Each structure stands twice: as C-alpha cells, then as structure tokens.
Coordinates of all heavy atoms in Angstrom, one line a residue:
M1 N 115.2 107.7 135.1 CA 114.0 108.3 134.6 C 113.9 107.7 133.2 O 114.9 107.7 132.4 CB 114.2 109.8 134.5 CG 113.0 110.5 134.0 SD 113.0 112.2 134.3 CE 113.3 112.2 136.1
D2 N 112.7 107.3 132.8 CA 112.5 106.6 131.5 C 111.4 107.3 130.8 O 110.4 107.7 131.4 CB 112.1 105.1 131.9 CG 111.8 104.3 130.6 OD1 110.9 104.7 129.9 OD2 112.5 103.3 130.4
T3 N 111.6 107.5 129.5 CA 110.5 108.0 128.7 C 110.6 107.3 127.3 O 111.6 107.2 126.7 CB 110.5 109.5 128.5 OG1 109.3 109.9 127.8 CG2 111.7 110.0 127.8
F4 N 109.5 106.7 126.9 CA 109.4 105.9 125.6 C 110.5 104.8 125.6 O 111.0 104.6 124.5 CB 109.5 106.9 124.4 CG 108.3 107.9 124.4 CD1 108.5 109.2 124.7 CD2 107.1 107.4 124.0 CE1 107.5 110.1 124.7 CE2 106.0 108.3 124.0 CZ 106.2 109.6 124.4
G5 N 110.7 104.2 126.7 CA 111.7 103.1 126.7 C 113.1 103.5 126.7 O 114.0 102.7 126.6
T6 N 113.4 104.8 126.8 CA 114.8 105.3 126.8 C 115.1 105.9 128.2 O 114.3 106.7 128.7 CB 114.9 106.4 125.7 OG1 114.7 105.8 124.4 CG2 116.4 107.0 125.7
I7 N 116.2 105.5 128.7 CA 116.7 106.2 130.0 C 117.2 107.5 129.7 O 118.1 107.7 128.8 CB 117.8 105.3 130.7 CG1 117.3 103.9 131.0 CG2 118.3 106.0 131.9 CD1 116.1 103.8 131.9
V8 N 116.7 108.5 130.4 CA 117.1 109.9 130.2 C 118.0 110.3 131.3 O 117.6 110.3 132.5 CB 115.9 110.9 130.1 CG1 116.4 112.3 129.9 CG2 115.0 110.5 128.9
K9 N 119.3 110.6 131.0 CA 120.3 111.0 132.0 C 120.3 112.5 132.1 O 119.8 113.2 131.2 CB 121.6 110.5 131.6 CG 121.7 108.9 131.6 CD 123.0 108.4 131.2 CE 123.0 106.9 131.2 NZ 124.3 106.4 130.8
R10 N 120.9 113.0 133.1 CA 121.1 114.5 133.3 C 119.8 115.2 133.4 O 119.5 116.1 132.7 CB 122.0 115.1 132.3 CG 123.4 114.6 132.3 CD 124.4 115.3 131.4 NE 123.9 116.3 130.5 CZ 123.8 116.1 129.2 NH1 124.2 115.0 128.6 NH2 123.4 117.1 128.4
S11 N 119.0 114.7 134.4 CA 117.7 115.4 134.7 C 117.8 116.1 136.0 O 118.5 115.6 136.9 CB 116.6 114.4 134.8 OG 116.4 113.7 133.5
L12 N 117.2 117.2 136.2 CA 117.2 117.9 137.4 C 115.8 118.1 138.0 O 114.9 118.5 137.2 CB 117.8 119.3 137.2 CG 117.8 120.3 138.4 CD1 118.8 119.8 139.5 CD2 118.2 121.7 137.9
I13 N 115.7 117.8 139.3 CA 114.4 118.0 139.9 C 114.6 119.3 140.7 O 115.5 119.4 141.6 CB 114.0 116.9 140.9 CG1 113.8 115.6 140.0 CG2 112.8 117.2 141.7 CD1 113.6 114.3 140.9
D14 N 113.8 120.3 140.3 CA 114.0 121.7 140.9 C 112.7 122.2 141.5 O 111.8 122.6 140.7 CB 114.5 122.6 139.8 CG 114.8 124.0 140.2 OD1 114.6 124.3 141.4 OD2 115.1 124.9 139.4
G15 N 112.6 122.2 142.8 CA 111.4 122.6 143.5 C 111.2 124.1 143.3 O 110.1 124.6 143.6
G16 N 112.1 124.9 142.8 CA 111.9 126.3 142.5 C 111.4 126.6 141.1 O 111.0 127.7 140.8
A17 N 111.4 125.6 140.2 CA 111.0 125.8 138.9 C 109.5 125.7 138.7 O 108.9 124.8 139.3 CB 111.7 124.8 137.9
T18 N 108.9 126.7 138.0 CA 107.5 126.7 137.9 C 107.0 125.9 136.6 O 105.8 125.8 136.4 CB 106.9 128.1 137.8 OG1 107.6 128.8 136.7 CG2 107.2 128.9 139.1
L19 N 107.9 125.5 135.8 CA 107.6 124.7 134.6 C 108.5 123.5 134.5 O 109.6 123.5 135.1 CB 107.9 125.6 133.3 CG 107.2 126.9 133.2 CD1 107.7 127.7 132.0 CD2 105.7 126.7 133.0
N20 N 108.1 122.5 133.7 CA 108.9 121.4 133.3 C 109.5 121.7 132.0 O 108.8 122.2 131.1 CB 108.1 120.1 133.2 CG 107.4 119.7 134.5 OD1 108.0 119.7 135.6 ND2 106.1 119.5 134.4
I21 N 110.8 121.5 131.9 CA 111.5 121.9 130.6 C 112.2 120.7 130.0 O 112.8 119.9 130.7 CB 112.6 123.0 131.0 CG1 112.1 124.2 131.7 CG2 113.4 123.3 129.7 CD1 111.2 125.1 130.8
A22 N 112.0 120.6 128.7 CA 112.8 119.6 127.9 C 113.5 120.4 126.8 O 113.1 121.5 126.4 CB 111.8 118.6 127.2
T23 N 114.6 119.9 126.3 CA 115.4 120.6 125.3 C 115.1 120.0 123.9 O 114.8 118.8 123.7 CB 116.9 120.5 125.6 OG1 117.3 119.1 125.5 CG2 117.1 121.1 127.0
T24 N 115.3 120.8 122.9 CA 115.2 120.3 121.5 C 116.3 119.2 121.3 O 116.1 118.3 120.6 CB 115.3 121.4 120.5 OG1 116.5 122.2 120.7 CG2 114.2 122.4 120.5
Y25 N 117.5 119.5 121.9 CA 118.6 118.5 121.7 C 118.1 117.1 122.2 O 118.3 116.1 121.5 CB 119.8 119.0 122.6 CG 120.9 118.0 122.6 CD1 121.7 117.8 121.5 CD2 121.1 117.1 123.7 CE1 122.8 116.9 121.5 CE2 122.1 116.2 123.7 CZ 122.9 116.1 122.6 OH 123.9 115.1 122.6
L26 N 117.5 117.0 123.3 CA 117.0 115.7 123.8 C 115.9 115.1 122.9 O 116.0 114.0 122.5 CB 116.4 115.9 125.2 CG 115.7 114.6 125.8 CD1 116.7 113.5 126.0 CD2 114.9 114.9 127.0
L27 N 115.0 115.9 122.5 CA 113.9 115.4 121.7 C 114.4 114.9 120.3 O 113.8 114.0 119.7 CB 112.8 116.5 121.5 CG 112.1 116.9 122.8 CD1 111.1 118.0 122.5 CD2 111.5 115.7 123.5
E28 N 115.5 115.5 119.8 CA 116.1 115.0 118.5 C 116.7 113.6 118.7 O 116.9 113.0 117.7 CB 117.1 116.0 118.1 CG 116.5 117.3 117.6 CD 117.5 118.5 117.4 OE1 118.7 118.3 117.7 OE2 117.1 119.5 117.0
Q29 N 116.9 113.2 119.9 CA 117.5 111.9 120.1 C 116.5 110.7 120.0 O 116.9 109.6 119.8 CB 118.2 111.8 121.5 CG 119.2 112.9 121.8 CD 120.2 113.1 120.8 OE1 120.9 112.2 120.4 NE2 120.4 114.3 120.3
F30 N 115.2 111.1 120.0 CA 114.2 110.1 120.0 C 113.7 109.9 118.5 O 113.8 110.8 117.7 CB 112.9 110.5 120.8 CG 113.2 110.5 122.3 CD1 113.4 111.6 122.9 CD2 113.1 109.3 123.0 CE1 113.7 111.6 124.3 CE2 113.3 109.3 124.3 CZ 113.6 110.4 125.0
D31 N 113.2 108.7 118.3 CA 112.6 108.4 117.0 C 111.4 109.3 116.8 O 110.5 109.2 117.7 CB 112.2 106.9 116.9 CG 111.5 106.5 115.6 OD1 111.1 107.4 114.8 OD2 111.3 105.3 115.5
P32 N 111.3 110.1 115.8 CA 110.1 111.0 115.7 C 108.8 110.3 115.6 O 107.7 110.9 115.9 CB 110.4 111.9 114.4 CG 111.5 111.1 113.7 CD 112.2 110.3 114.7
N33 N 108.8 109.0 115.2 CA 107.6 108.3 115.1 C 107.0 107.9 116.4 O 105.9 107.5 116.5 CB 107.8 107.0 114.2 CG 108.1 107.4 112.8 OD1 107.6 108.3 112.2 ND2 109.1 106.7 112.2
V34 N 107.9 108.0 117.5 CA 107.5 107.6 118.8 C 106.9 108.8 119.6 O 106.0 108.6 120.4 CB 108.7 107.0 119.6 CG1 108.4 106.7 121.0 CG2 109.2 105.7 118.9
L35 N 107.4 109.9 119.3 CA 107.1 111.1 120.1 C 105.7 111.6 119.7 O 105.3 111.6 118.5 CB 108.1 112.2 119.9 CG 109.4 112.1 120.5 CD1 110.3 113.3 120.1 CD2 109.3 112.0 122.0
P36 N 104.9 112.1 120.6 CA 103.7 112.8 120.3 C 104.0 114.1 119.6 O 105.1 114.6 119.7 CB 103.0 113.0 121.6 CG 104.1 113.0 122.6 CD 105.1 112.1 122.1
S37 N 103.0 114.7 118.9 CA 103.3 116.0 118.2 C 103.4 117.1 119.3 O 102.8 117.0 120.3 CB 102.2 116.3 117.2 OG 101.0 116.4 117.9
R38 N 104.2 118.1 118.9 CA 104.4 119.2 119.8 C 103.4 120.3 119.3 O 103.1 120.4 118.2 CB 105.8 119.7 119.8 CG 106.3 120.4 118.6 CD 107.6 121.1 118.8 NE 108.7 120.1 118.8 CZ 109.9 120.4 118.7 NH1 110.3 121.7 118.5 NH2 110.9 119.5 118.7
E39 N 103.0 121.1 120.3 CA 102.1 122.2 120.0 C 103.0 123.5 120.0 O 103.8 123.7 120.9 CB 101.0 122.3 121.1 CG 100.1 123.5 120.9 CD 99.1 123.5 122.0 OE1 98.7 122.5 122.6 OE2 98.6 124.7 122.3
E40 N 102.8 124.3 119.0 CA 103.6 125.5 118.9 C 103.0 126.6 119.8 O 101.7 126.7 119.8 CB 103.6 126.0 117.4 CG 104.3 125.1 116.5 CD 105.7 124.8 116.8 OE1 106.5 125.7 117.2 OE2 106.1 123.6 116.6
I41 N 103.8 127.3 120.5 CA 103.3 128.4 121.4 C 104.3 129.6 121.2 O 105.5 129.3 120.8 CB 103.2 128.0 122.8 CG1 104.5 127.6 123.4 CG2 102.1 127.0 123.0 CD1 104.4 127.4 125.0
T42 N 103.9 130.7 121.6 CA 104.8 131.9 121.5 C 104.9 132.4 123.0 O 104.0 133.0 123.5 CB 104.2 133.0 120.7 OG1 103.9 132.5 119.4 CG2 105.1 134.2 120.5
M43 N 106.1 132.1 123.5 CA 106.4 132.7 124.9 C 107.9 132.5 125.1 O 108.6 131.9 124.3 CB 105.6 132.0 126.0 CG 106.0 130.5 126.2 SD 105.0 129.7 127.5 CE 105.8 130.4 129.0
R44 N 108.4 133.1 126.2 CA 109.7 133.1 126.6 C 109.8 132.5 128.0 O 108.9 132.7 128.8 CB 110.4 134.4 126.6 CG 110.6 135.0 125.1 CD 111.3 136.3 125.2 NE 112.1 136.8 124.1 CZ 112.9 136.2 123.3 NH1 113.0 134.9 123.3 NH2 113.5 136.8 122.3
V45 N 110.8 131.7 128.3 CA 111.1 131.2 129.6 C 112.4 131.6 130.1 O 113.4 131.7 129.3 CB 110.9 129.6 129.7 CG1 109.5 129.2 129.3 CG2 111.8 128.9 128.7
K46 N 112.6 131.8 131.4 CA 113.9 132.2 131.9 C 114.6 130.9 132.5 O 114.0 130.1 133.2 CB 113.7 133.2 133.0 CG 113.4 134.6 132.6 CD 113.4 135.5 133.7 CE 113.1 136.9 133.2 NZ 113.0 137.9 134.3
G47 N 115.9 130.8 132.2 CA 116.7 129.7 132.7 C 117.3 130.1 134.0 O 117.0 131.2 134.6
F48 N 118.3 129.3 134.4 CA 119.0 129.6 135.7 C 119.8 130.9 135.6 O 120.0 131.5 136.6 CB 120.0 128.4 136.0 CG 119.4 127.2 136.4 CD1 119.5 126.0 135.6 CD2 118.7 127.1 137.6 CE1 119.0 124.8 136.0 CE2 118.1 125.9 138.0 CZ 118.3 124.8 137.2
D49 N 120.2 131.2 134.4 CA 121.0 132.4 134.3 C 120.1 133.7 134.2 O 120.6 134.8 134.1 CB 121.9 132.4 133.0 CG 121.1 132.0 131.8 OD1 119.8 132.0 131.8 OD2 121.7 131.7 130.7
G50 N 118.8 133.5 134.2 CA 117.9 134.7 134.2 C 117.7 135.3 132.8 O 116.9 136.2 132.7
I51 N 118.3 134.6 131.8 CA 118.1 135.1 130.4 C 116.8 134.5 129.8 O 116.7 133.3 129.8 CB 119.3 134.8 129.6 CG1 120.6 135.5 130.2 CG2 119.1 135.2 128.1 CD1 121.9 135.1 129.5
P52 N 115.9 135.3 129.3 CA 114.7 134.8 128.6 C 115.1 134.1 127.3 O 115.9 134.6 126.6 CB 113.9 136.0 128.3 CG 114.4 137.1 129.1 CD 115.8 136.8 129.4
R53 N 114.5 132.9 127.1 CA 114.8 132.2 125.9 C 113.4 131.8 125.2 O 112.4 131.6 125.9 CB 115.5 130.9 126.2 CG 116.9 131.0 126.6 CD 117.6 129.7 126.9 NE 119.0 129.8 127.1 CZ 119.6 130.5 128.0 NH1 119.0 131.2 128.9 NH2 120.9 130.5 128.1
R54 N 113.4 131.8 123.9 CA 112.2 131.5 123.2 C 111.8 130.0 123.4 O 112.7 129.1 123.5 CB 112.5 131.6 121.7 CG 111.2 131.5 120.8 CD 111.6 131.7 119.3 NE 112.2 130.5 118.7 CZ 111.5 129.4 118.4 NH1 110.2 129.3 118.6 NH2 112.1 128.4 117.8
C55 N 110.6 129.8 123.7 CA 110.0 128.5 123.9 C 109.6 127.9 122.5 O 108.9 128.6 121.7 CB 108.8 128.6 124.8 SG 108.2 127.0 125.3
A56 N 110.1 126.7 122.2 CA 109.9 126.1 120.9 C 108.6 125.3 120.8 O 108.3 124.7 119.8 CB 111.1 125.3 120.5
G57 N 107.8 125.3 121.9 CA 106.6 124.6 121.9 C 106.4 123.9 123.2 O 107.2 124.0 124.1
I58 N 105.3 123.1 123.2 CA 105.0 122.2 124.4 C 104.8 120.8 123.9 O 104.3 120.6 122.8 CB 103.8 122.8 125.2 CG1 102.6 122.9 124.4 CG2 104.2 124.1 125.9 CD1 101.4 123.2 125.2
I59 N 105.0 119.9 124.8 CA 104.8 118.5 124.4 C 104.5 117.7 125.7 O 105.0 118.1 126.8 CB 106.1 117.9 123.7 CG1 105.8 116.5 123.1 CG2 107.3 117.8 124.7 CD1 106.9 116.0 122.2
T60 N 103.7 116.7 125.6 CA 103.4 115.9 126.8 C 104.1 114.5 126.6 O 103.9 113.9 125.6 CB 101.9 115.7 126.9 OG1 101.2 116.9 127.1 CG2 101.5 114.8 128.1
L61 N 104.9 114.2 127.6 CA 105.7 112.9 127.5 C 105.3 112.0 128.7 O 105.0 112.5 129.8 CB 107.2 113.2 127.6 CG 107.8 114.1 126.5 CD1 109.2 114.4 126.8 CD2 107.6 113.5 125.1
L62 N 105.3 110.7 128.5 CA 105.2 109.8 129.6 C 106.5 109.6 130.3 O 107.5 109.3 129.6 CB 104.7 108.4 129.0 CG 103.3 108.3 128.6 CD1 103.0 106.9 128.0 CD2 102.4 108.4 129.8
I63 N 106.5 109.9 131.6 CA 107.7 109.8 132.3 C 107.5 108.7 133.4 O 106.6 108.8 134.1 CB 108.1 111.2 133.0 CG1 108.2 112.3 132.0 CG2 109.3 111.0 133.9 CD1 109.4 112.1 131.1
K64 N 108.5 107.8 133.4 CA 108.4 106.7 134.4 C 109.6 106.8 135.4 O 110.7 106.9 135.0 CB 108.5 105.4 133.7 CG 108.4 104.2 134.6 CD 108.5 102.9 133.9 CE 108.5 101.7 134.9 NZ 108.8 100.4 134.3
V65 N 109.2 106.9 136.6 CA 110.2 106.9 137.7 C 109.8 105.8 138.7 O 108.7 105.9 139.2 CB 110.3 108.2 138.4 CG1 111.2 108.2 139.6 CG2 110.7 109.3 137.4
G66 N 110.6 104.8 138.8 CA 110.2 103.6 139.6 C 109.0 102.9 139.0 O 109.0 102.7 137.8
K67 N 108.0 102.7 139.8 CA 106.8 102.1 139.2 C 105.7 103.1 138.8 O 104.7 102.8 138.3 CB 106.2 101.1 140.2 CG 107.1 100.0 140.5 CD 106.5 99.0 141.4 CE 107.4 97.8 141.6 NZ 106.8 96.7 142.4
K68 N 106.0 104.4 139.0 CA 105.0 105.4 138.7 C 105.2 106.0 137.3 O 106.3 106.3 136.9 CB 105.1 106.6 139.8 CG 103.9 107.5 139.7 CD 103.7 108.2 141.1 CE 102.4 108.9 141.1 NZ 102.1 109.4 142.4
V69 N 104.1 106.1 136.5 CA 104.2 106.7 135.2 C 103.2 107.8 135.1 O 102.1 107.7 135.5 CB 103.8 105.6 134.1 CG1 103.8 106.2 132.7 CG2 104.6 104.4 134.2
L70 N 103.8 109.0 134.7 CA 103.0 110.2 134.6 C 103.0 110.8 133.2 O 104.1 110.9 132.6 CB 103.5 111.2 135.6 CG 103.4 110.9 137.1 CD1 104.1 112.0 137.9 CD2 101.9 110.9 137.5
D71 N 101.9 111.4 132.7 CA 101.8 112.3 131.6 C 102.4 113.6 132.1 O 101.8 114.2 133.0 CB 100.4 112.5 131.1 CG 99.9 111.3 130.2 OD1 100.8 110.8 129.5 OD2 98.7 111.1 130.2
T72 N 103.4 114.1 131.5 CA 104.1 115.3 132.0 C 104.2 116.3 130.8 O 104.7 116.0 129.8 CB 105.5 115.0 132.5 OG1 105.4 113.9 133.5 CG2 106.1 116.2 133.1
L73 N 103.7 117.5 131.1 CA 103.7 118.6 130.1 C 105.1 119.3 130.2 O 105.5 119.7 131.3 CB 102.6 119.6 130.4 CG 102.6 120.8 129.4 CD1 102.2 120.4 128.0 CD2 101.7 121.9 130.0
F74 N 105.8 119.4 129.1 CA 107.1 120.0 129.1 C 107.0 121.2 128.1 O 106.4 121.2 127.1 CB 108.2 119.1 128.5 CG 108.6 118.1 129.5 CD1 108.0 116.8 129.5 CD2 109.6 118.3 130.4 CE1 108.4 115.8 130.4 CE2 110.0 117.4 131.3 CZ 109.4 116.1 131.3
Y75 N 107.7 122.3 128.5 CA 108.0 123.4 127.6 C 109.3 123.2 127.0 O 110.3 122.8 127.7 CB 108.0 124.7 128.4 CG 106.6 125.1 128.9 CD1 106.0 124.5 130.0 CD2 105.8 126.0 128.2 CE1 104.7 124.8 130.4 CE2 104.5 126.3 128.6 CZ 104.0 125.7 129.7 OH 102.7 126.0 130.1
I76 N 109.4 123.3 125.7 CA 110.6 123.0 124.9 C 111.5 124.2 124.7 O 111.0 125.2 124.2 CB 110.2 122.3 123.6 CG1 109.3 121.2 123.8 CG2 111.5 121.9 122.8 CD1 108.6 120.7 122.5
T77 N 112.7 124.1 125.1 CA 113.7 125.2 124.8 C 114.8 124.6 123.9 O 115.0 123.4 123.8 CB 114.4 125.7 126.1 OG1 115.1 124.6 126.8 CG2 113.3 126.3 127.1
E78 N 115.4 125.6 123.2 CA 116.3 125.2 122.2 C 117.7 125.1 122.8 O 118.0 125.7 123.8 CB 116.3 126.2 121.0 CG 115.0 126.2 120.3 CD 115.0 127.2 119.1 OE1 115.8 128.1 119.1 OE2 114.0 127.1 118.3
G79 N 118.6 124.3 122.1 CA 120.0 124.2 122.6 C 120.3 122.9 123.3 O 119.5 122.0 123.5
K80 N 121.5 122.9 123.8 CA 122.0 121.7 124.5 C 122.5 122.2 125.9 O 123.7 122.5 126.0 CB 123.1 121.0 123.8 CG 123.7 119.8 124.4 CD 124.8 119.1 123.7 CE 125.3 118.0 124.5 NZ 126.5 117.4 123.9
P81 N 121.6 122.3 126.9 CA 122.0 122.8 128.2 C 122.7 121.7 129.0 O 122.9 120.6 128.6 CB 120.7 123.3 128.8 CG 119.7 122.3 128.2 CD 120.2 122.0 126.8
S82 N 122.9 122.0 130.3 CA 123.5 121.1 131.2 C 122.6 119.9 131.5 O 123.0 118.8 131.9 CB 123.9 121.8 132.5 OG 124.8 122.8 132.2
F83 N 121.3 120.2 131.5 CA 120.3 119.1 131.8 C 119.3 118.9 130.7 O 118.9 119.8 130.0 CB 119.5 119.6 133.1 CG 120.3 119.8 134.3 CD1 120.7 121.1 134.7 CD2 120.8 118.7 135.0 CE1 121.5 121.3 135.8 CE2 121.6 118.9 136.1 CZ 121.9 120.2 136.5
N84 N 119.0 117.6 130.5 CA 118.0 117.3 129.4 C 116.6 117.6 129.8 O 115.8 118.1 129.0 CB 118.1 115.8 129.1 CG 119.4 115.5 128.3 OD1 119.8 116.2 127.4 ND2 120.1 114.5 128.8
F85 N 116.3 117.3 131.1 CA 114.9 117.6 131.6 C 115.2 118.5 132.9 O 116.1 118.2 133.6 CB 114.2 116.4 132.1 CG 113.5 115.5 131.1 CD1 113.4 114.2 131.3 CD2 113.0 116.1 129.9 CE1 112.8 113.4 130.4 CE2 112.4 115.3 129.0 CZ 112.3 113.9 129.2
I86 N 114.3 119.5 133.1 CA 114.2 120.1 134.4 C 112.8 119.9 134.8 O 111.8 120.2 134.1 CB 114.5 121.6 134.3 CG1 115.9 121.8 133.9 CG2 114.2 122.3 135.7 CD1 116.3 123.3 133.7
L87 N 112.6 119.1 135.9 CA 111.3 118.8 136.4 C 111.0 119.7 137.6 O 111.7 119.7 138.6 CB 111.3 117.3 136.8 CG 111.5 116.4 135.7 CD1 112.0 115.0 136.2 CD2 110.3 116.3 134.8
G88 N 110.0 120.5 137.4 CA 109.7 121.6 138.4 C 108.5 121.2 139.3 O 108.1 120.0 139.4
R89 N 107.9 122.2 139.9 CA 106.8 122.0 140.8 C 105.6 121.2 140.2 O 105.0 120.4 140.9 CB 106.3 123.3 141.4 CG 107.2 124.1 142.3 CD 107.4 123.5 143.7 NE 106.4 122.8 144.3 CZ 106.6 121.8 145.2 NH1 107.8 121.6 145.6 NH2 105.6 121.2 145.7
P90 N 105.2 121.4 139.0 CA 104.1 120.7 138.5 C 104.3 119.2 138.5 O 103.5 118.4 138.9 CB 103.9 121.1 137.0 CG 104.6 122.5 137.0 CD 105.7 122.4 138.0
W91 N 105.5 118.7 138.2 CA 105.9 117.3 138.2 C 106.0 116.8 139.6 O 105.5 115.7 140.0 CB 107.2 117.1 137.4 CG 107.5 115.6 137.4 CD1 107.1 114.7 136.5 CD2 108.5 114.9 138.2 NE1 107.7 113.5 136.8 CE2 108.5 113.6 137.8 CE3 109.2 115.3 139.3 CZ2 109.3 112.6 138.5 CZ3 110.0 114.4 139.9 CH2 110.1 113.0 139.5
I92 N 106.6 117.6 140.5 CA 106.8 117.2 141.9 C 105.4 117.0 142.5 O 105.1 116.0 143.2 CB 107.6 118.2 142.7 CG1 109.0 118.2 142.2 CG2 107.6 117.9 144.2 CD1 109.9 119.4 142.6
D93 N 104.5 117.9 142.3 CA 103.1 117.8 142.8 C 102.4 116.6 142.3 O 101.7 115.9 143.0 CB 102.3 119.1 142.5 CG 102.8 120.3 143.3 OD1 103.6 120.2 144.3 OD2 102.5 121.4 142.9
D94 N 102.6 116.3 141.0 CA 101.9 115.1 140.4 C 102.5 113.8 141.0 O 101.8 112.8 141.2 CB 102.1 115.1 138.9 CG 101.2 116.1 138.2 OD1 100.3 116.7 138.9 OD2 101.4 116.4 137.0
M95 N 103.8 113.8 141.3 CA 104.4 112.6 141.9 C 103.8 112.3 143.3 O 103.7 111.2 143.7 CB 105.9 112.8 142.0 CG 106.6 112.6 140.7 SD 106.4 110.9 140.0 CE 107.4 109.9 141.1
D96 N 103.5 113.4 144.0 CA 103.0 113.2 145.4 C 101.6 112.7 145.4 O 101.1 112.1 146.3 CB 103.1 114.5 146.1 CG 104.5 114.9 146.5 OD1 105.3 114.0 146.5 OD2 104.7 116.1 146.8
G97 N 100.8 113.0 144.3 CA 99.4 112.7 144.2 C 99.1 111.3 143.9 O 99.4 110.2 144.2

C-alpha cells in the first residue's frame, strides 16, 4: 500500500470496521508539506478492545494499491497501535467500484 510515495506497512483490511483509521504516529512519519490539512472534529471511535478513543481529526489521503488510486477519508486516532491503517467497509466498497 502506497501513499504519497511511501510504502505503508502494517495495514489491516477489516470488513467489520465502519471507518477507515489512521494513527497520529503514522502521519508524523510523513513530511508535513506533503500531507493535506486535517479537519478537526469532536468524536470518539472504538477500537478492537471496545474502548472509546478521542478522534484527533479527519484527513483524506491518496491510497494506491496495485494500479488503483483512491482518495480515502481517514479518522485519525492518537498513539502507536498494532496497525498504521485500518481500512474498513468504506474503502472496501470504493475498491470494488
């Protein structure tokens, strides 16, 4: 999986997830001049452990898988979890389209 010319490892495709998730840890690895601006929002999202976490905003990233490139909306969570991206139903549905 590629975004902004960088291969992103440790991504999970989860057909049960209703949102696409990116972490602040991952976004800090990119050159801030390359990333689009994030929009601040106030909401909580639940992770695999069922614990609600504060959402640090939303951001749209270009994700390339194979020859397909998609604008993908991500909800940003804080910390360094097991996965850099969690790609849920919205991304899966867009890939099929």
Side-chain angles (χ1 to χ4, degrees):
M1 181 167 310
D2 178 303
T3 187
F4 299 103
T6 300
I7 302 297
V8 177
K9 298 179 181 178
R10 294 188 354 252
S11 298
L12 174 68
I13 298 172
D14 181 0
T18 57
L19 302 172
N20 301 312
I21 303 291
T23 64
T24 54
Y25 174 80
L26 172 69
L27 297 177
E28 289 166 358
Q29 308 307 309
F30 290 101
D31 178 350
N33 297 319
V34 174
L35 289 177
S37 62
R38 73 171 72 167
E39 181 181 331
E40 299 297 323
I41 62 171
T42 304
M43 69 179 281
R44 292 184 154 320
V45 295
K46 285 187 182 179
F48 288 117
D49 54 10
I51 297 172
R53 289 178 170 63
R54 188 179 78 77
C55 186
I58 57 174
I59 191 168
T60 300
L61 302 174
L62 284 174
I63 302 294
K64 180 180 178 190
V65 177
K67 294 184 179 187
K68 195 156 191 174
V69 179
L70 295 172
D71 279 328
T72 305
L73 178 68
F74 285 93
Y75 290 79
I76 305 165
T77 59
E78 295 178 345
K80 183 181 175 186
S82 301
F83 300 100
N84 290 313
F85 282 150
I86 297 176
L87 297 160
R89 292 289 332 154
W91 182 82
I92 295 167
D93 291 343
D94 287 345
M95 283 298 288
D96 289 340

